[in-house]
Every structure is written in structure tokens, then in C-alpha cells.
């Protein structure tokens, strides 16, 4: 099983700042089957990034994904008020599919 | 517009059984990979099961031999039959469409509580 470790656990930033979230896999994620999701309280998660770097439909371009192999990054270039949420990475390159434990982006 | 709506959650005693349903609109479940993902209270996301056809179904070890995923293509509905339920199965269960290995469409979730 591929274990995904996200860091930091919590990121305290102000609106307008840049957020950099990390996701490290215990084994290589094949074909870059790595996705990122945003979840707000009481809501279902929303797909942001798939294939490590492709933005999902309707996702603003301030969200970007990068990385390959075992190290992946989600960057939010300038935080908007609606971006404060929990973010999860997820891999589907190897069964069982797994999620990271999440990074909470909170208002400083 | 593409939508997924789950139903069937509730309070169930340990050892009991429950069937969750997921009604799809805007696309046909028979032509898509479909999955269930759950989230225990205050916890992260956990993949539970995936199906594409009768011969392509996979389960997390934590639910294997207790949960069964299936589809009724004529009704455009996916199901999750859960048996021998345990307290640790308590969670919000999300029905999700899978595209390119990513969970691209999510339902609103249905709450399952296993407690005596």
C-alpha cells in the first residue's frame, strides 16, 4: 500500500499569500496518478488537480500542481478567502487507492 | 448537469446490515468507473470500493468480505451492501464518479452510524 504523507499538517497564512502544500509517497506513484482535493466544513470534497498537474473543470488558475515519482506539490498562488479549507492528495496508481491525511489551510 | 445522490444511511446496530444507494443523473453509471469513499467523524478520507463491471470490483482490506458494490444499469444506480457492520464503519459515505483515476464528481454523502 502506498502511504501518502502530507505536510505541513496546518498552514496559517493571510489572504493574498502563497500556499505551498506537500504530498510525499512511500513508493513511486505510477503514471502520475496523483490528485488533489479541497474540502470545506460540511461539504463533499472537490477535485482540484488530476494527473499531478492538470486543473479540473472550473478550477481557478491560482491553483497549480507539480511533481512526479514520490514528491508532489499543490500551490495556491494568492489565497482568496474561499480557499481556506482542508486539502487532500490521493493516488490511484496502485491498489488500494489511498489518500493523504490532509493539510488544513487556516487564516492567520 | 451531472449529479450523484446517495440514500440509505442511518443508525444500525453492530453486526447489522445496510444498503446504500447512489442515483446518478447526467451520465450513465454503466460507462464509468464508480466508487465509494468514506469519512469517519473528524477524520480524513478513506477509499472503500470501486467498480467498472461485474468482473472489475475492488475493495479496501477494511471492508473486504463484508461490503459488496454493485450497479443496476437499467435504473442508473450504484449500491453498497454493507454487512457485519462495526463501530469503525461509522462515517459519511460518498458516492463518487471516477475519471482518469481521479474522483471527479461527488455526491453529498449519506451518514452511517453503527452503535447499540
Amino acid at each position: 500500500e502506498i502511504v501518502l504523507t502530507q505536510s505541513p499538517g496546518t498552514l496559517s497564512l493571510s489572504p493574498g499569500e502563497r500556499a505551498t502544500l506537500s504530498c510525499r509517497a512511500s513508493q513511486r506513484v505510477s503514471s502520475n496518478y496523483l490528485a488533489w482535493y479541497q474540502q470545506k466544513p460540511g461539504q463533499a470534497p472537490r477535485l482540484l488537480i488530476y494527473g499531478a498537474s492538470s486543473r479540473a473543470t472550473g478550477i481557478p488558475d491560482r491553483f497549480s500542481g507539480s511533481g512526479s515519482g514520490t514528491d508532489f506539490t499543490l500551490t495556491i498562488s494568492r489565497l482568496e478567502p474561499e480557499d481556506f479549507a482542508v486539502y487532500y492528495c490521493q493516488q490511484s496508481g496502485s491498489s488500494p487507492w489511498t489518500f493523504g491525511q490532509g493539510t488544513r489551510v487556516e487564516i492567520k | 448537469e451531472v449529479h450523484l445522490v446517495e440514500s440509505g444511511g442511518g443508525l444500525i446496530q453492530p453486526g447489522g446490515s445496510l444498503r446504500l444507494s447512489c442515483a446518478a443523473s447526467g451520465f450513465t453509471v454503466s460507462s464509468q468507473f464508480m466508487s465509494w469513499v468514506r469519512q469517519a467523524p473528524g477524520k480524513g478520507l478513506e477509499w472503500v470500493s470501486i467498480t467498472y463491471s461485474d468482473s472489475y470490483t475492488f475493495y479496501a482490506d477494511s471492508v473486504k468480505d463484508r461490503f459488496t458494490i454493485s450497479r443496476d444499469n437499467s435504473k442508473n444506480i450504484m449500491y453498497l451492501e454493507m454487512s457485519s457492520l462495526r463501530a469503525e464503519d461509522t462515517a459519511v459515505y460518498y458516492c463518487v464518479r471516477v475519471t482518469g483515476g481521479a474522483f471527479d464528481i461527488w455526491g453529498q454523502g449519506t451518514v452511517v452510524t453503527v452503535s447499540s
Side-chain angles (χ1 to χ4, degrees):
Chain A
E1 172 176 325
I2 294 180
V3 176
L4 299 178
T5 302
Q6 293 186 238
S7 61
T10 301
L11 202 49
S12 298
L13 295 168
S14 300
E17 290 193 293
R18 182 184 188 90
T20 303
L21 288 66
S22 173
C23 176
R24 178 162 290 177
S26 60
Q27 305 168 42
R28 183 178 179 278
V29 177
S30 63
S31 302
N32 285 341
Y33 278 123
L34 193 288
W36 290 92
Y37 304 85
Q38 176 194 68
Q39 187 177 33
K40 298 179 181 179
Q43 296 184 16
R46 176 175 70 146
L47 176 65
L48 299 174
I49 301 289
Y50 64 94
S53 60
S54 298
R55 267 188 305 276
T57 303
I59 302 303
D61 60 7
R62 64 180 181 274
F63 290 92
S64 64
S66 63
S68 64
T70 60
D71 287 295
F72 300 88
T73 300
L74 174 70
T75 301
I76 310 171
S77 59
R78 287 178 56 86
L79 283 164
E80 296 288 341
E82 61 268 27
D83 299 336
F84 292 92
V86 179
Y87 293 83
Y88 295 95
C89 59
Q90 172 256 329
Q91 69 80 25
S92 55
S94 171
S95 184
W97 295 10
T98 50
F99 289 89
Q101 82 281 13
T103 289
R104 179 179 305 277
V105 179
E106 64 177 26
I107 300 177
K108 186 175 181 180
Chain B
E1 192 176 354
V2 175
H3 267 122
L4 294 168
V5 179
E6 304 95 334
S7 60
L11 175 63
I12 188 78
Q13 291 191 337
S17 299
L18 207 57
R19 187 178 80 164
L20 306 183
S21 300
C22 170
S25 57
F27 72 100
T28 55
V29 297
S30 61
S31 62
Q32 298 283 343
F33 286 81
M34 297 292 296
S35 190
W36 290 94
V37 174
R38 68 184 181 183
Q39 186 169 35
K43 302 298 184 182
L45 301 168
E46 180 188 17
W47 170 74
V48 172
S49 181
I50 189 169
T51 183
Y52 181 68
S53 66
D54 287 344
S55 61
Y56 186 100
T57 59
F58 294 92
Y59 301 91
D61 285 347
S62 58
V63 306
K64 199 175 296 183
D65 300 325
R66 299 188 300 121
F67 288 13
T68 301
I69 192 171
S70 64
R71 296 178 303 186
D72 184 332
N73 294 334
S74 66
K75 296 181 179 178
N76 214 28
I77 293 178
M78 179 177 68
Y79 300 102
L80 186 68
E81 297 268 6
M82 305 184 295
S83 63
S84 302
L85 283 162
R86 307 165 180 166
E88 54 265 36
D89 295 318
T90 294
V92 177
Y93 284 74
Y94 293 103
C95 165
V96 197
R97 189 180 78 173
V98 183
T99 302
F103 301 115
D104 66 335
I105 303 295
W106 295 67
Q108 85 288 351
T110 188
V111 178
V112 173
T113 303
V114 184
S115 175
S116 54

